[in-house]
Amino acid sequence: VAFSRRTNLPSFLTRFFTGGARWSHCAVADEERGVFIEALMFKGVIETPFATWTLKYPSYEVVKIDCPAPITALNFARAQVGKGYDYLGAVGVPWRTPWHFENRWYCSELVEAALQHGGRLRWRLTKRGVSPMESWLVL
């Protein structure tokens, strides 16, 4: 899993509204294909080549998160490519709302869903928004 931030306004606002967080974005690393699977506003869930991704995010950290079935987690993330962005879910993160559109994802929601499908449930509360920074904190 990769965690990152940019120097643009959406990144700043995400970090501000989640308590001055270090990270504003995250993605699933697909080493086999050499891409990050990420959910982006205006694009939805896409695959971004490693080289492109690392140029786009000047500050990032790639972290290995163990899960019982990593191939299942990766296959879940791959199956989400082409789905839309979950704007309502992303807006609800600071307020811990259960807002969520099925078959749409924001970045940390996608990462946590992939990990959950791989057998690594990291949150007791399933109906709350998880920010990228919170996802990073529970490594």
Side-chain angles (χ1 to χ4, degrees):
V1 175
F3 297 92
S4 63
R5 71 174 174 269
R6 295 174 87 175
T7 56
N8 61 15
L9 183 60
S11 179
F12 171 77
L13 291 174
T14 300
R15 289 182 285 125
F16 177 79
F17 283 112
T18 55
R22 178 178 179 189
W23 305 120
S24 60
H25 185 62
C26 55
V28 175
D30 184 342
E31 293 179 1
E32 183 179 308
R33 294 183 182 173
V35 298
F36 287 105
I37 301 169
E38 59 181 332
L40 296 175
M41 288 190 294
F42 311 116
K43 294 183 180 182
V45 181
I46 63 169
E47 292 181 332
T48 304
F50 285 168
T52 302
W53 198 90
T54 56
L55 289 174
K56 187 168 58 168
Y57 298 101
S59 183
Y60 67 90
E61 182 175 343
V62 179
V63 180
K64 180 177 173 32
I65 299 176
D66 292 320
C67 66
I71 299 302
T72 303
L74 189 56
N75 285 337
F76 173 83
R78 287 172 177 166
Q80 305 317 301
V81 172
K83 294 187 178 176
Y85 188 80
D86 187 6
Y87 293 96
L88 189 58
V91 167
V93 168
W95 295 277
R96 305 286 186 236
T97 66
W99 301 338
H100 169 70
F101 280 118
E102 292 297 322
N103 293 314
R104 293 181 173 270
W105 303 99
Y106 62 88
C107 65
S108 48
E109 181 181 44
L110 174 64
V111 166
E112 293 301 328
L115 289 170
Q116 183 176 357
H117 277 81
R120 178 77 189 267
L121 180 60
R122 301 184 327 146
W123 300 94
R124 286 177 280 175
L125 302 173
T126 57
K127 291 189 175 185
R128 71 176 211 128
V130 175
S131 73
M133 188 65 194
E134 289 172 316
S135 185
W136 180 79
L137 286 172
V138 295
L139 297 174

